[in-house]
């Protein structure tokens, strides 16, 4: 497998990063993961916008645009022979002296790697459980998609490696927040609910896109602070992330749901499927509510 690193393409066994990189020493780095559908990087503009914002917060002096990143992606896909793929685009602060640095990082380490994914054939389903470990608060004003992943790692160890299971975090105050690698939605009585950003969750790219899709479909969407019981009483429940898309939940804390047979997930997935080989941003759906 070929990997992109700092302007070069190398076999994964040849990639080297200094142990003095502050991404390694202090966790100063951000990343994005997204899917390639038949050669198209779905919602790339949204991912780059979040990546650039994260780098700014970490004082990493870099920014990326669609044109330059597409060039990297296309070359990487060609070298690996992939058409449908997983992409991880990682920016770590770069080398520095030992000790916490207040100056900006002007030479970050830029890494992109891919792995092949089969074309999707419908939705996969999962069961969801409440985690004992609570969601930690963001390190700054909002949660970044950063190298700080211990909370998620400990949560994954809690539930084990079963691929059909997702753990759901509660906040310290007992409100639903998000999954280990997903955002959470449920539908009840004509309204689609999801925890608010203020609960400390990652504002997922697919989360934002699904909210936009739901509004396009005429659904009312509410973001707020919700207790576990409110999701338990829902008609449908599902998870979202950029690799797994929309993942219907079949069971949550003793409650059974229709899973992929649910009417709402069917509607949203149909819209999602129709756009995933063409859209660069959710804003292309149109309408001020989706900005």
């Amino acid at each position: 497998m070929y990997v992109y690193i700092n302007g070069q393409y190398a076999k994964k066994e040849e990639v080297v990063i200094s142990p003095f990189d502050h991404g390694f020493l202090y966790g100063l780095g951000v990343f994005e993961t997204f899917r390639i559908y038949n050669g198209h990087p779905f919602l790339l503009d949204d991912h780059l916008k979040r990546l650039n914002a994260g780098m700014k917060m970490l004082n990493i002096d870099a920014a990326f645009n669609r044109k330059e990143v597409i060039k990297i992606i296309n070359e990487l896909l060609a070298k690996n022979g992939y058409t449908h793929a997983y992409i991880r685009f990682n920016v770590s602060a770069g080398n520095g002296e030992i000790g916490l640095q207040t100056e900006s990082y002007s030479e970050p380490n830029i890494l992109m790697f891919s792995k092949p994914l089969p074309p999707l054939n419908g939705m996969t389903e999962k069961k969801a459980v409440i985690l004992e470990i609570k969601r930690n608060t963001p390190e700054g004003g909002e949660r970044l998609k950063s190298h700080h992943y211990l909370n998620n790692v400990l949560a994954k160890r809690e539930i084990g490696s079963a691929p059909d299971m997702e753990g759901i975090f509660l906040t310290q105050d007992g409100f639903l927040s998000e999954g280990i690698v997903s955002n959470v939605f449920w539908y009840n009585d004509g309204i689609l609910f999801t925890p608010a950003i203020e609960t400390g969750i990652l504002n997922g790219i697919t989360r934002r896109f699904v909210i936009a899709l739901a509004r396009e479909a005429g659904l009312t969407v509410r973001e707020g602070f919700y207790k576990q019981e409110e999701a338990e009483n829902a008609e449908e429940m599902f998870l979202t992330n950029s690799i797994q898309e929309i993942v219907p939940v079949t069971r949550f804390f003793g409650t059974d749901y229709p899973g992929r047979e649910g009417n709402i997930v069917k509607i949203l997935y149909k819209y999602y499927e129709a756009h995933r080989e063409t859209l660069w941003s959710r804003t292309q759906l149109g309408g001020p509510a989706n900005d």
Side-chain angles (χ1 to χ4, degrees):
M1 181 178 77
Y2 282 92
V3 173
Y4 172 88
I5 179 167
N6 296 332
Q8 304 294 322
Y9 297 89
K11 292 184 178 179
K12 65 177 183 178
E13 299 82 6
E14 301 170 350
V15 175
V16 176
I17 294 178
S18 168
F20 296 101
D21 183 324
H22 280 202
F24 170 71
L25 290 178
Y26 304 113
L28 293 176
V30 288
F31 69 98
E32 292 291 327
T33 55
F34 50 91
R35 285 193 77 123
I36 303 294
Y37 295 93
N38 199 25
H40 177 71
F42 184 49
L43 301 181
L44 177 62
D45 290 356
D46 292 348
H47 284 283
L48 293 182
K49 183 177 180 179
R50 184 172 67 178
L51 184 76
N52 289 338
M55 289 189 295
K56 184 176 181 180
M57 186 175 293
L58 294 182
N59 219 13
I60 297 174
D61 189 15
F64 298 95
N65 59 52
R66 183 200 299 181
K67 183 178 179 180
E68 62 184 319
V69 174
I70 281 293
K71 184 178 180 181
I72 297 171
I73 291 172
N74 288 343
E75 183 68 21
L76 192 63
L77 293 176
K79 284 185 174 294
N80 287 307
Y82 302 156
T83 301
H84 300 273
Y86 161 108
I87 296 283
R88 173 160 170 154
F89 186 21
N90 198 94
V91 181
S92 117
N95 301 349
E97 298 297 326
I98 301 298
L100 301 183
Q101 178 174 317
T102 57
E103 309 86 52
S104 63
Y105 293 90
S106 59
E107 297 184 12
N109 284 311
I110 301 162
L111 179 74
M112 184 185 290
F113 63 82
S114 61
K115 63 181 180 181
L117 291 175
L120 281 166
N121 184 23
M123 294 177 283
T124 58
E125 297 175 319
K126 290 191 177 186
K127 297 181 284 292
V129 295
I130 291 292
L131 293 160
E132 290 293 330
I133 189 170
K134 298 298 187 287
R135 194 59 170 123
N136 62 354
T137 56
E139 293 82 5
E142 63 182 87
R143 187 171 300 281
L144 301 182
K145 196 169 180 68
S146 75
H147 291 184
H148 293 275
Y149 245 61
L150 181 59
N151 200 208
N152 303 66
V153 170
L154 294 177
K156 185 61 178 175
R157 289 178 185 171
E158 181 182 318
I159 68 167
S161 59
D164 65 341
M165 187 75 69
E166 174 67 314
I168 306 298
F169 287 106
L170 298 178
T171 69
Q172 292 292 340
D173 295 323
F175 294 109
L176 289 164
S177 60
E178 62 186 342
I180 299 173
V181 292
S182 64
N183 289 117
V184 183
F185 290 83
W186 60 94
Y187 176 81
N188 201 30
D189 197 22
I191 300 171
L192 186 63
F193 297 90
T194 192
I197 297 303
E198 289 76 15
T199 61
I201 65 175
L202 179 71
N203 193 2
I205 299 301
T206 305
R207 174 188 185 273
R208 299 182 220 184
F209 182 62
V210 166
I211 288 173
L213 282 182
R215 288 173 174 158
E216 281 288 298
L219 297 175
T220 298
V221 181
R222 289 185 184 168
E223 304 174 61
F225 290 80
Y226 304 108
K227 293 289 188 175
Q228 173 183 331
E229 295 77 15
E230 297 181 72
E232 288 177 34
N233 294 324
E235 299 168 35
E236 298 181 42
M237 184 177 185
F238 62 90
L239 313 167
T240 61
N241 80 18
S242 293
I243 305 303
Q244 299 172 29
E245 304 184 332
I246 296 172
V247 181
V249 171
T250 57
R251 188 170 180 82
F252 173 59
F253 210 76
T255 301
D256 291 321
Y257 303 93
R260 65 169 65 95
E261 296 304 315
N263 291 329
I264 297 303
V265 294
K266 283 182 179 180
I267 291 169
L268 292 175
Y269 188 74
K270 182 179 179 181
Y271 277 93
Y272 196 108
E273 195 174 28
H275 291 299
R276 63 192 184 192
E277 291 190 16
T278 58
L279 289 191
W280 297 96
S281 170
R282 72 186 185 283
T283 59
Q284 291 177 275
L285 292 172
N290 300 331
D291 290 338

